[in-house]
Amino acid sequence: MGDLLDLWISEIEVPCVEGAKKKGILDGVNMLIGDQSNPSDLNRWISESGGNFSVIVDDGGHRTVHIINSFNTLWPNLAPGGLYFIEDLQVQRALWNEKPPIADIITNWVDQLLVRQGSHKFENNNLSPSMKDMRSIYPVPKGLKW
């Protein structure tokens, strides 16, 4: 595997990592241990791995704060042309009824990109009050372009 790519996996639980290493499950895998809701851990992951990721798959804590922290920190370290995936977007609505769920925040980002950068011309005055609030609370992350 090492000849094709460097695989980095992050995990919050040390015992989980130690158990998998003993079983040989993680042979050839670089491990990062920490909490995705902690920006210091995310920055340490970038430092330890070298960043410049070709692919990022966020299959972490599934909470808005976890996903936003990860995205805001890791997105700038995605290589040009790289791919960023966020898994299990439905979990927030189904299990926790979080307000706002990450799916709504991403929809808001797309709307902002269409208004600001896209060929579609949407008027800001046609937005509902909740969408206007979302724009001020969750602006499009730096470097995210349409």
Side-chain angles (χ1 to χ4, degrees), residues 19-140:
K21 281 183 177 180
K22 285 179 185 175
K23 294 177 184 174
I25 295 171
L26 298 177
D27 291 347
V29 175
N30 301 296
M31 289 301 304
L32 300 167
I33 299 172
D35 182 350
Q36 78 179 117
S37 67
N38 182 339
S40 295
D41 284 351
L42 293 169
N43 285 314
R44 182 176 45 79
W45 294 350
I46 293 164
S47 177
E48 288 179 18
S49 69
N52 199 35
F53 303 109
S54 298
V55 177
I56 296 172
V57 179
D58 182 339
D59 187 19
H62 307 311
R63 296 287 188 156
T64 297
V65 67
H66 299 158
I67 296 168
I68 291 291
N69 282 342
S70 292
F71 189 86
N72 287 339
T73 305
L74 298 176
W75 175 262
N77 293 280
L78 188 66
L83 301 172
Y84 196 108
F85 298 93
I86 302 170
E87 295 193 356
D88 303 324
L89 295 176
Q90 82 288 356
V91 172
Q92 292 176 333
R93 288 189 206 278
L95 297 181
W96 303 305
N97 198 25
E98 283 198 17
K99 304 285 190 219
I102 191 66
D104 289 359
I105 294 169
I106 293 170
T107 299
N108 173 56
W109 291 346
V110 170
D111 288 343
Q112 289 180 62
L113 291 167
L114 287 172
V115 170
R116 252 197 257 161
Q117 301 169 1
S119 59
H120 300 83
K121 300 298 179 196
F122 295 108
E123 295 295 326
N124 281 332
N125 59 3
N126 291 337
L127 297 173
S128 69
S130 63
M131 281 303 284
K132 287 180 183 177
D133 289 344
M134 287 273 288
R135 286 177 178 222
S136 63
I137 297 169
Y138 297 103
V140 174

